[in-house]
Amino acid sequence: MHFRLKYRGFLTFCGIATLYIYYSMVQLTADVYYDDPYLQVKRNVVRDTGTNFTTIYNNGTNSSSDSTIVRKSLSPTIKIENCTTSQHEEEVFSCSNISNIKILKSLGHGVTKEVFLGVYDGEEVAVKMVTSKVQDVRKCLQRKKYWKEQDCYLLANYKLLKEMLFMQQLHHPNILKRIGYCVRNEKTSGHVDDHGVISVAELGSQFTPGKYRRTSWEQRMTTTIELLDLLDYFAHSPLGSLMMTDMKHTQFLVVNNRVKLGDMDDVTNDEQKCQTEKECYIDKINYGIKCVNGICKGINAKFNLHFFNSKIFSLILQSGTSASIADETRRALRGIKQPNSTALEIKQSLQQILVKYKS
């Protein structure tokens, strides 16, 4: 019995050590990546979306005033600069000042983390922490197969660290902006002054397709084009082709009239394993994806496109325009079901429809 307890304690120690080693290695890799001038130039592309998006970065860096203001309106432009690059910018919050955030209330909790409404210097922010209320921790505590209760927080903390690192490496106007974090230890007090792993992000309101249909058709079409640009970015991201394995509209927030992905727990660059091509069907639909060397080659991009269409695009573009424009929009979205169609192609089709609508 004594040996078993020691063994479990060793495993717990190894789990915690792995988290910090993983975090440190990614940070070090990111630092080298950002400092390499060749890679900076290579990644400095401009995505022309053809709609009134906002310039996220000015020549690749934020001004000093931008780095101290959580919510700031940026001037509209036709191009998104550097939305496919990861900027090594100074963040607002770190362990040195994160305890100065005043927590007002809990905004809700899900599988891995609880989100709190915080205020700092008069600005509202979203504070994410793993607490005993989240589903992963509750289930572990109910099973009572842990060596010590703290073990039940390891997986959820790992997922929160993963999300923090994804937000650091992936930058796109439709990904929620992380504005700080603190990684102290594995403690889970629920208080910003000593909680182990804390992430701080810009604050948004919950996105629901039904409520979003009350906005103008032009706004809804613009949002669809923006999200298709996000999917095109996911298909060619610095981490490889990414898939949202459990896509739900609850993972999105509205920030300054822009729909942003705010929860990245289920984002992965793994492609689905298979033995037959039938295992590469998406929602029982054969998109012609081949099973190559035990993986569904190229499934990630099509998987995202399929579920974004069924759970967002087709719902928010249902009505609000002329019959002819509505017919063109439906035909464009039906193109998603074509085996070789891409997010970029669908985005370009909808851009042409939006131009016609505005003319």
Side-chain angles (χ1 to χ4, degrees):
M1 180 67 179
H2 182 65
F3 172 77
R4 289 175 63 188
L5 289 177
K6 277 190 173 182
Y7 181 68
R8 289 181 180 177
F10 176 73
L11 289 180
T12 302
F13 171 78
C14 289
I16 295 170
T18 300
L19 287 179
Y20 285 106
I21 291 170
Y22 173 72
Y23 184 80
S24 300
M25 287 179 65
V26 176
Q27 286 278 39
L28 180 61
T29 302
D31 287 341
V32 174
Y33 195 49
Y34 300 138
D35 293 338
D36 190 316
Y38 169 74
L39 292 173
Q40 288 292 327
V41 172
K42 184 179 179 182
R43 297 179 305 144
N44 188 25
V45 298
V46 177
R47 299 168 72 85
D48 187 350
T49 62
T51 57
N52 289 328
F53 293 140
T54 55
T55 302
I56 299 304
Y57 300 104
N58 181 17
N59 296 326
T61 59
N62 282 345
S63 67
S64 58
S65 60
D66 290 345
S67 65
T68 57
I69 298 178
V70 176
R71 285 174 161 179
K72 185 174 179 65
S73 298
L74 304 176
S75 58
T77 180
I78 291 181
K79 293 180 179 179
I80 300 176
E81 298 182 12
N82 296 339
C83 74
T84 61
T85 67
S86 178
Q87 304 296 329
H88 200 44
E89 63 189 78
E90 182 181 355
E91 294 183 319
V92 179
F93 299 105
S94 67
C95 290
S96 64
N97 67 345
I98 207 163
S99 59
N100 294 328
I101 299 176
K102 181 181 179 181
I103 301 297
L104 299 183
K105 64 178 181 179
S106 173
L107 296 175
H109 53 83
V111 176
T112 60
K113 56 188 171 285
E114 186 169 3
V115 183
F116 298 87
L117 172 62
V119 174
Y120 177 83
D121 196 23
E123 299 287 345
E124 294 182 336
V125 296
V127 180
K128 301 181 180 183
M129 294 184 279
V130 174
T131 70
S132 59
K133 294 181 181 178
V134 304
Q135 184 176 318
D136 278 349
V137 175
R138 285 203 325 269
K139 285 185 176 180
C140 177
L141 291 173
Q142 288 168 3
R143 287 194 297 266
K144 295 184 178 180
K145 292 184 178 180
Y146 49 81
W147 179 56
K148 58 180 181 177
E149 287 190 5
Q150 200 65 37
D151 298 348
C152 288
Y153 293 81
L154 287 175
L155 177 61
N157 267 324
Y158 164 78
K159 290 181 179 179
L160 180 55
L161 280 170
K162 173 190 168 186
E163 178 179 274
M164 290 159 55
L165 291 170
F166 268 42
M167 285 184 171
Q168 177 173 311
Q169 296 172 93
L170 301 173
H171 282 258
H172 186 279
N174 294 89
I175 295 177
L176 196 70
K177 183 181 177 183
R178 193 191 73 186
I179 52 178
Y181 68 93
C182 176
V183 180
R184 298 186 181 103
N185 48 52
E186 68 277 13
K187 189 174 181 179
T188 51
S189 67
H191 305 292
V192 290
D193 56 346
D194 62 352
H195 193 89
V197 181
I198 305 172
S199 178
V200 185
E202 58 185 342
L203 187 68
S205 58
Q206 193 65 57
F207 167 76
T208 57
K211 186 181 293 184
Y212 204 71
R213 281 202 297 268
R214 301 173 191 170
T215 62
S216 69
W217 186 86
E218 182 177 341
Q219 174 63 41
R220 286 178 276 141
M221 176 62 98
T222 299
T223 293
T224 303
I225 292 170
E226 290 175 350
L227 292 178
L228 283 164
D229 190 74
L230 173 64
L231 294 187
D232 183 47
Y233 172 56
F234 269 17
H236 308 94
S237 87
L239 304 179
S241 180
L242 301 176
M243 174 197 285
M244 289 185 62
T245 58
D246 187 24
M247 191 270 179
K248 300 184 289 287
H249 68 77
T250 54
Q251 295 167 310
F252 293 83
L253 299 169
V254 181
V255 182
N256 296 328
N257 295 321
R258 183 185 294 275
V259 177
K260 296 190 177 188
L261 175 60
D263 189 335
M264 304 188 76
D265 282 357
D266 300 311
V267 176
T268 180
N269 62 0
D270 286 337
E271 290 189 302
Q272 183 174 313
K273 291 180 173 57
C274 60
Q275 292 182 333
T276 66
E277 289 186 359
K278 192 168 184 180
E279 294 177 83
C280 299
Y281 288 8
I282 301 172
D283 213 13
K284 299 181 180 180
I285 298 175
N286 182 6
Y287 282 106
I289 299 168
K290 305 297 183 182
C291 182
V292 180
N293 297 325
I295 64 168
C296 298
K297 193 67 176 176
I299 192 172
N300 289 359
K302 202 65 181 181
F303 185 96
N304 292 336
L305 197 53
H306 172 87
F307 283 105
F308 266 68
N309 181 46
S310 64
K311 297 186 177 183
I312 295 182
F313 302 156
S314 61
L315 299 180
I316 66 175
L317 291 177
Q318 280 183 352
S319 59
T321 185
S322 65
S324 60
I325 293 291
D327 286 342
E328 285 190 61
T329 302
R330 281 192 290 270
R331 282 198 297 272
L333 292 180
R334 279 199 296 269
I336 291 173
K337 296 183 179 180
Q338 297 300 315
N340 296 321
S341 63
T342 65
L344 178 60
E345 292 170 349
I346 305 302
K347 182 188 79 170
Q348 291 171 340
S349 296
L350 294 183
Q351 285 175 325
Q352 292 173 3
I353 296 171
L354 182 58
V355 169
K356 184 181 296 186
Y357 173 82
K358 295 167 72 172
S359 63

